[in-house]
Amino acid sequence: MFLLLPFDSLVVNLLGISLTVLFTLLLVFIIVPAIFGVSFGIRKVYMKTLLKIFQWATLRIERGAKEKNHPLYKPYVNGIIAKEPTSLEEEIKEIRRSGSGKALDTPEFELSDIFYFCRKGIETIMDDEVTKRFSAEELESWNLLSRTNYNFQYISLRLTVLWGLGMLIRYCFLLPLRCKEFLSKHVHLMCYRICVRALTAIITYHDRENRPRNGGICVANHTSPIDVIILASDGYYAMVGQIHGGLMGVIQRAMVKACPHVWFERSEVRDRHLVAKRLTEHVQDKSKLPILIFPEGTCINNTSVMMFKKGSFEIGATVYPVAIKYDPQFGDAFWNSSKYGMVTYLLRMMTSWAIVCSVWYLPPMTRQPEEDAVQFANRVKSAIARQGGLVDLLWDGGLKREKVKDTFKEEQQKLYSKMIVGNHEDRSRS
Amino acid sequence: MGSRASTLLRDEEIEEIKKETGFSHSQITRLYSRFTSLDKGENGTLSREDFQRIPELAINPLGDRIINAFFPEGEDQVNFRGFMRTLAHFRPIEDNEKSKDQNGPEPLNSRSNKLHFAFRLYDLDKDDKISRDELLQVLRMMVGVNISDEQLGSIADRTIQEADQDGDSAISFAEFVKLRC
C-alpha cells in the first residue's frame, strides 16, 4: 500500500498539470479571442477537413450500395413521384384525351375526372410540401451522424470504425469541452460570442451595413433558438416571444434582467391588439433597441420559409429582413419542439460537428401605401427566401400543430365547377 | 429517428413487399420512412387522423374517400403492408411488365386493378354498381356548393345515360371500363 502512494501522487500531479494546460489552452484559444472578437481560423480548417471526410464516406457508401445492387434513394435527383405540376384544367383534359379518344368538344363531366383528384391525393400521401418541413431535412450525403441516416446501413468495417471514432470524439471530447464553456457567463455580448465558439459555430455575415437600427423591427426566418444567439452576437436586440417552460423559461427570465425584452404568455399572444400596442410603444421610442421577431411563429426545418404572420407588419415601422441559412452537412440545427425538448436539443447541438450558417442582412423595407399588411409580409418573405435559397411557401407554419382551413378545399371545388359548368354553358349556346 | 426506420424493416419483409407490389428496394425504404413520419402515435399503424394531418390531402375534395380506400372493411388502422398494397395500384406500368406471363396473379398495378380502385371510390356500398345517388354524392364532393342540385342532377343523368348499356340505370364495372377504352 505504501508503494502505491508515491505513484498516486504522481498520477494526481500529472492530472493537475494536464488540467491546467487544458484550461490555459481554453482561455487562450477560445475565451480571449471571443472577448476581442478575433478569430484564429482554426475552425475553417476543421470545417474543410470534415467536408473531405464526408465526401469520402459517401463515396464508400455508394460503392457498397452498388455492390449489393440497391440503388440509393436520392431525394432531389430521382424523387419517388414523376411529377409534372400543371393546372387542374390541363390535367383533367389530359386524362380525358388519353382515355376515351372521343371527339374534341369537351363534355361537361366524365367519370374519369375522378382520376385527377385520386392521383393528386395519393401523391400527397407519398410526399407533400408541408409536413416534411416539420422534420429534419434529408441529406444527399451522409455526415457520419446516425441521426441523419435514412439510407445508409452497415456497409463496411472501415466506415463503421470511422463512425465509431467520430462518435467517440463528439461525445467524449467536444461535448465536455463545450459544457465547460457554456456554464461561464458574464457580460451579454461576450456571452453570446462565447456561445458561438462553444457550439463551434462558423457564421458568415453578409452585408453588415444593412444591420438593423434603433426603432426598427428585425425579421428573420426561424429554425431554432440558436438563431437568437447568432443574431445577438452581432448586434443588440430586444426580443419578442412566447414564454416557455423549463430551461428555456429560465434563460428568458435571466435575460429580462439585463435588457428590456418583451415576453408574452401564450394566452396573451392571441390577443393581437395588446401585442401590437406594446410593440408600437417600443418602436416609437427611438432610443430603444430594434425588436427581433420571427414571424413564422414556429421552427421550420430551414428548407423553406412559411407564411409570415401579419401582426408585426401592421405596426408601420421599418422592417430589416434577415435571412439565415444553415449548412445541414455539419449538424442539423432544426428544433423539432413536438418531438423533443430543449435539453435534448442542446445535447444534439453540442454533439454535432459544427454549426455552419450564413446570415444575410437585407436592405430595409417599408410598407408601400397601396399594399396591405399581408402583401407586405409576403414581399418580405419572398426577399428572404430568394436570398437564402429557400422555398417560398404560402402554407402556415401553424399547420405543424393544427388542421388546415376549409377555405382551401372550397377553392379547389370552385375551380373544378367552373370547368364543368363553363363547358355546359358553351354547349347550351350552340 | 433515421436509424430506427431502417432497422425495423427487415430484409425478408422488404423482399416480400417487393414481390407483392413491385416497388424497388429503395422505394420501399423511402416509403417506410414516410410511413413512420406520418405515424405520430408511433404504434406501427396509421389511423384516419394521421392521413388528415397532411394539409394538401385535407383540401382535396375527394380526400376522405381516398383515405377510406386504405382501410380494409370495418377497420380503423392500417399497417405498412396494407399501406404499400394500396399505393402499389399507382405504380406506373413499365414496359417489361406488359409482356409478362399471364399465368401468375395479376400485378397490383395492372390497368384493370387501377380502374377497379377508381370504381371503388364511386361505389360506396360495394354492390359493384354505381347508382345515381352514389354518382351524385361524388359529384357534390368535387364541386362543393358552386352548382345547383338540378344542374348536378342533369349532369348525373346524362352520364348514366351515356354509359349504361343494360338499361338498369346504374353503371357496372364492365360499363365503366368500356368508357375508358
Side-chain angles (χ1 to χ4, degrees):
Chain A
M1 248 188 291
F2 290 100
L3 285 170
L4 282 171
L5 275 174
F7 184 69
D8 267 346
S9 62
L10 191 67
V11 171
V12 167
N13 273 335
L14 273 173
L15 214 63
I17 294 175
S18 52
L19 272 173
T20 329
V21 169
L22 195 66
F23 271 119
T24 12
L25 274 176
L26 260 176
L27 200 69
V28 172
F29 282 109
I30 291 162
I31 298 183
V32 169
I35 299 176
F36 294 109
V38 167
S39 156
F40 267 132
I42 300 178
R43 287 176 296 163
K44 291 251 157 59
V45 175
Y46 175 58
M47 198 168 98
K48 284 206 187 75
T49 337
L50 277 178
L51 268 174
K52 284 216 177 68
I53 297 180
F54 295 161
Q55 279 169 355
W56 176 83
T58 317
L59 278 171
R60 285 286 302 142
I61 289 172
E62 283 178 359
R63 220 183 305 154
K66 236 178 258 173
E67 283 162 16
K68 281 199 198 151
N69 223 358
H70 292 151
L72 290 173
Y73 175 74
K74 289 198 171 187
Y76 303 110
V77 174
N78 53 343
I80 203 161
I81 298 174
K83 232 180 193 151
E84 320 109 27
T86 45
S87 72
L88 182 143
E89 235 186 279
E90 281 294 316
E91 294 213 33
I92 294 191
K93 283 211 182 95
E94 178 72 42
I95 293 175
R96 290 180 178 173
R97 232 174 293 141
S98 67
S100 49
K102 265 200 257 188
L104 279 176
D105 64 337
T106 45
E108 57 205 358
F109 166 71
E110 273 213 25
L111 284 170
S112 52
D113 288 350
I114 200 180
F115 286 124
Y116 167 74
F117 290 109
C118 205
R119 192 181 82 161
K120 268 264 157 346
I122 299 284
E123 275 177 3
T124 62
I125 291 180
M126 287 195 170
D127 187 15
D128 76 306
E129 279 299 312
V130 184
T131 55
K132 71 179 181 190
R133 309 293 172 191
F134 300 131
S135 59
E137 187 183 357
E138 287 185 60
L139 290 176
E140 293 267 327
S141 68
W142 188 37
N143 58 353
L144 295 182
L145 300 170
S146 64
R147 44 187 98 122
T148 49
N149 191 351
Y150 286 112
N151 236 341
F152 310 108
Q153 291 137 357
Y154 175 82
I155 298 292
S156 77
L157 185 63
R158 249 193 289 173
L159 211 55
T160 321
V161 166
L162 190 64
W163 176 76
L165 204 70
M167 246 193 48
L168 207 71
I169 296 181
R170 278 188 293 123
Y171 276 95
C172 303
F173 180 63
L174 291 176
L175 175 58
L177 207 66
R178 288 167 180 169
C179 272
K180 278 184 211 130
E181 296 151 31
F182 202 70
L183 291 171
S184 58
K185 282 184 196 251
H186 291 290
V187 182
H188 243 221
L189 203 59
M190 195 170 72
C191 292
Y192 281 124
R193 290 227 180 99
I194 292 178
C195 279
V196 162
R197 309 277 160 148
L199 294 168
T200 320
I202 304 174
I203 309 172
T204 327
Y205 294 99
H206 303 265
D207 305 326
R208 294 179 75 187
E209 66 272 7
N210 289 327
R211 267 192 308 174
R213 290 188 203 128
N214 283 2
I217 300 183
C218 177
V219 158
N221 59 316
H222 199 28
T223 305
S224 87
I226 296 184
D227 294 342
V228 173
I229 300 180
I230 288 174
L231 286 177
S233 66
D234 193 46
Y236 301 93
Y237 297 98
M239 300 188 199
V240 174
Q242 208 138 293
I243 302 187
H244 286 91
L247 182 62
M248 191 75 185
V250 170
I251 298 177
Q252 284 179 330
R253 280 194 289 278
M255 285 165 67
V256 162
K257 299 211 174 96
C259 255
H261 298 303
V262 188
W263 300 120
F264 289 96
E265 277 295 338
R266 199 161 222 163
S267 47
E268 262 186 274
V269 170
R270 292 213 189 102
D271 187 354
R272 274 190 359 206
H273 295 297
L274 193 66
V275 172
K277 195 159 74 86
R278 283 168 85 167
L279 287 179
T280 328
E281 278 168 14
H282 186 110
V283 152
Q284 275 161 357
D285 185 351
K286 286 294 172 199
S287 66
K288 289 245 172 86
L289 304 169
I291 303 180
L292 178 58
I293 294 184
F294 297 104
E296 281 164 313
T298 185
C299 292
I300 312 289
N301 76 345
N302 207 235
T303 55
S304 68
V305 182
M306 297 196 125
M307 187 180 98
F308 276 4
K309 305 249 185 311
K310 63 179 164 119
S312 23
F313 298 91
E314 286 174 325
I315 301 176
T318 325
V319 169
Y320 297 87
V322 177
I324 307 177
K325 177 85 180 103
Y326 291 86
D327 189 340
Q329 282 189 309
F330 294 96
D332 184 24
F334 169 55
W335 181 28
N336 195 341
S337 50
S338 44
K339 255 207 155 99
Y340 40 85
M342 185 60 171
V343 185
T344 323
Y345 173 68
L346 278 177
L347 194 70
R348 280 167 63 96
M349 283 301 101
M350 299 225 189
T351 55
S352 6
W353 291 115
I355 311 277
V356 179
C357 72
S358 301
V359 177
W360 285 275
Y361 292 102
L362 297 166
M365 295 180 164
T366 43
R367 189 170 94 183
Q368 305 298 317
E370 67 276 358
E371 61 180 5
D372 66 354
V374 176
Q375 289 167 328
F376 180 42
N378 283 335
R379 190 157 62 91
V380 174
K381 179 158 70 78
S382 308
I384 293 182
R386 215 175 317 128
Q387 180 67 68
L390 307 162
V391 176
D392 185 4
L393 289 180
L394 289 173
W395 294 98
D396 186 353
L399 289 173
K400 194 188 205 177
R401 299 193 174 89
E402 296 150 13
K403 289 223 163 109
V404 69
K405 296 204 190 77
D406 277 330
T407 42
F408 293 105
K409 191 197 271 200
E410 286 155 22
E411 271 177 44
Q412 289 246 316
Q413 290 171 328
K414 211 180 292 181
L415 258 178
Y416 182 65
S417 333
K418 221 179 289 179
M419 195 185 162
I420 324 182
V421 172
N423 292 328
H424 179 73
E425 281 170 358
D426 290 337
R427 246 192 177 191
S428 57
R429 237 178 282 136
S430 62
Chain B
M1 269 158 283
S3 52
R4 204 193 65 196
S6 42
T7 47
L8 281 188
L9 199 60
R10 300 184 308 277
D11 268 334
E12 312 95 63
E13 271 194 78
I14 299 183
E15 284 304 312
E16 280 173 37
I17 298 178
K18 194 172 180 179
K19 220 178 295 177
E20 191 182 358
T21 60
F23 280 116
S24 75
H25 194 271
S26 64
Q27 285 172 331
I28 294 175
T29 34
R30 169 71 172 89
L31 287 170
Y32 188 70
S33 282
R34 177 71 174 158
F35 182 83
T36 37
S37 73
L38 289 175
D39 179 16
K40 290 286 188 293
E42 296 190 356
N43 51 359
T45 58
L46 291 179
S47 66
R48 285 193 172 78
E49 286 77 39
D50 288 322
F51 282 102
Q52 276 153 0
R53 225 175 274 121
I54 306 174
E56 289 170 14
L57 185 63
I59 65 168
N60 188 316
L62 294 178
D64 287 328
R65 287 286 172 98
I66 297 174
I67 294 174
N68 259 335
F70 279 88
F71 294 87
E73 193 64 52
E75 289 188 24
D76 282 329
Q77 303 284 332
V78 60
N79 61 10
F80 184 58
R81 296 293 289 267
F83 182 69
M84 289 303 277
R85 223 171 278 135
T86 316
L87 287 181
H89 287 113
F90 288 83
R91 202 168 58 83
I93 303 176
E94 274 136 43
D95 290 321
N96 57 1
E97 284 176 327
K98 287 197 185 130
S99 47
K100 268 223 176 93
D101 64 324
Q102 304 299 318
N103 298 339
E106 202 174 5
L108 281 171
N109 68 334
S110 70
R111 196 159 184 284
S112 165
N113 274 326
K114 287 186 205 265
L115 288 168
H116 217 103
F117 187 87
F119 187 79
R120 275 196 300 258
L121 284 180
Y122 281 109
D123 183 22
L124 257 191
D125 59 3
K126 299 206 184 16
D127 61 353
D128 281 333
K129 281 194 197 323
I130 304 177
S131 66
R132 185 177 185 273
D133 275 334
E134 287 171 341
L135 184 57
L136 265 178
Q137 266 187 34
V138 175
L139 271 172
R140 181 53 74 193
M141 284 173 90
M142 292 204 275
V143 306
V145 299
N146 299 294
I147 299 187
S148 68
D149 278 332
E150 305 88 53
Q151 224 177 351
L152 217 61
S154 63
I155 293 178
D157 288 326
R158 203 169 316 190
T159 315
I160 296 188
Q161 222 176 16
E162 282 178 4
D164 190 20
Q165 294 184 337
D166 54 7
D168 59 353
S169 310
I171 308 179
S172 71
F173 185 57
E175 290 159 358
F176 184 72
V177 171
K178 246 210 194 82
L179 275 180
R180 293 281 305 165
C181 288

